[in-house]
Amino acid sequence: MASKTTEEGTDVLLFVRAGERAVLLSHDEFRRARAAGRGVEDYDILMRRPEDDAPDADGLYADEHWIQVPASKYLKHRAIGWREAESADELPAPWRELAEGRDAFPAAEASEEGAE
């Protein structure tokens, strides 16, 4: 979907077929998509509205609070208070598994390793 690592260890944006929309899960994935130079028109990014910005007792956000927003409108939504996940732990279970499988939050993982 969003990226994968080649044998040389460099990130490559995966192909998005015509009519399909891949879902980006983090700001890092959004930056990688833009850096690839192909634009973000074929991507959505998973975000939550500002009124849904309070986690439940477990520190998680309800599944229905996460909405796929066109990635081309990502910065506009950020400006009005929408937020993307800062770590895989904030995402609903199906998205969390996908995020962990494709390294959607490498900056968060690096900071956690440095804390140990």
Side-chain angles (χ1 to χ4, degrees), residues 22 29 39 54 63-65 70-71 75 83-84 88-89 99 104 109 114-115:
E29 284 191 334
D63 294 4
E64 65 270 9
H65 292 184
L75 296 176
R83 294 290 173 248
E84 73 283 354
D89 295 335
E109 292 168 6

Side-chain angles (χ1 to χ4, degrees), residues 82-97:
W82 289 56
R83 294 290 173 248
E84 73 283 354
E86 293 181 16
S87 71
D89 295 335
E90 292 181 25
L91 296 171
W95 293 108
R96 188 177 321 121
E97 293 169 11

Side-chain angles (χ1 to χ4, degrees), residues 97-111:
E97 293 169 11
L98 183 61
E100 291 167 354
R102 68 182 197 207
D103 197 25
F105 298 92
E109 292 168 6
S111 65

Side-chain angles (χ1 to χ4, degrees), residues 1-5 11-16 21-26 28-34 36 38-39 42-45 95 98-99 101-104:
M1 280 215 185
S3 68
K4 70 175 183 179
T5 304
D11 277 339
V12 181
L13 202 61
L14 293 179
F15 179 73
V16 179
R21 300 187 64 80
V23 178
L24 305 172
L25 301 175
S26 68
D28 191 65
E29 284 191 334
F30 175 79
R31 283 191 359 228
R32 284 186 270 170
R34 287 191 53 185
R38 294 185 221 150
D42 293 329
Y43 295 90
D44 288 338
I45 187 163
W95 293 108
L98 183 61
R102 68 182 197 207
D103 197 25

Side-chain angles (χ1 to χ4, degrees), residues 46-49 52 56 60-68 90-96:
L46 199 63
M47 299 184 84
R48 64 182 182 273
R49 296 180 298 231
D52 297 332
D56 63 16
L60 300 174
Y61 296 88
D63 294 4
E64 65 270 9
H65 292 184
W66 293 98
I67 299 170
Q68 289 179 223
E90 292 181 25
L91 296 171
W95 293 108
R96 188 177 321 121

